[in-house]
Amino acid sequence: MMLVMASTIMTMIMALAMMLLCKMVNKSSIQNREKMSPFECGFNPKKSARTPFSIQFFLLAVLFLIFDIEIAIILPVVITMKLSMTSKWIFTVMLFITLLILGLYHEWKNGMLEWTA
């Protein structure tokens, strides 16, 4: 019990020492307009860095990432074909592809794949 308490106290002391050291090393710089503005090759930016973007583009990009990850999941399935029973392998692959197709159908029916200007 004494060893646990000593370890806990030492851990807390080390954490506090590191926090204090970081606080002393970190100097708050004077924030002026040049340092707070976005940097574009030394020139003033032509547009605001906080311009809004299209939500449809964001949703399409997220869908692309989801399906891209699904392809990365499908690739090792081919390698496992040699190691597993054929009927279980076919069932698993068909279930996985069916879920992907149903998800794509759902996105299509909700109009998320349509690009509106």
Side-chain angles (χ1 to χ4, degrees):
M1 184 69 173
M2 202 63 169
L3 183 62
V4 173
M5 287 178 53
S7 298
T8 304
I9 291 171
M10 285 300 291
T11 304
M12 291 174 70
I13 289 172
M14 287 175 54
L16 285 172
M18 284 195 274
M19 286 193 299
L20 287 174
L21 182 67
C22 286
K23 187 68 173 170
M24 290 183 342
V25 170
N26 182 18
K27 293 182 180 178
S28 297
S29 62
I30 300 171
Q31 297 177 354
N32 58 14
R33 190 177 81 87
E34 291 297 322
K35 287 187 179 180
M36 294 302 293
S37 66
F39 183 70
E40 270 188 37
C41 302
F43 301 108
N44 287 333
K46 294 180 180 178
K47 297 180 182 176
S48 173
R50 306 278 187 239
T51 56
F53 58 92
S54 173
I55 263 310
Q56 286 85 13
F57 175 76
F58 176 73
L59 289 174
L60 200 61
V62 169
L63 286 174
F64 170 76
L65 286 175
I66 289 171
F67 282 102
D68 194 41
I69 290 171
E70 300 304 331
I71 289 173
I73 291 173
I74 287 176
L75 288 176
V77 170
V78 176
I79 296 170
T80 62
M81 181 179 163
K82 297 176 188 175
L83 305 173
S84 63
M85 293 174 50
T86 307
S87 60
K88 287 183 182 179
W89 185 84
I90 290 174
F91 175 74
T92 304
V93 170
M94 293 304 288
L95 180 67
F96 189 74
I97 291 176
T98 303
L99 287 174
L100 281 178
I101 291 172
L102 287 174
L104 182 63
Y105 179 75
H106 176 72
E107 298 293 331
W108 185 22
K109 281 298 181 187
N110 285 336
M112 294 200 162
L113 298 177
E114 295 180 15
W115 193 267
T116 57

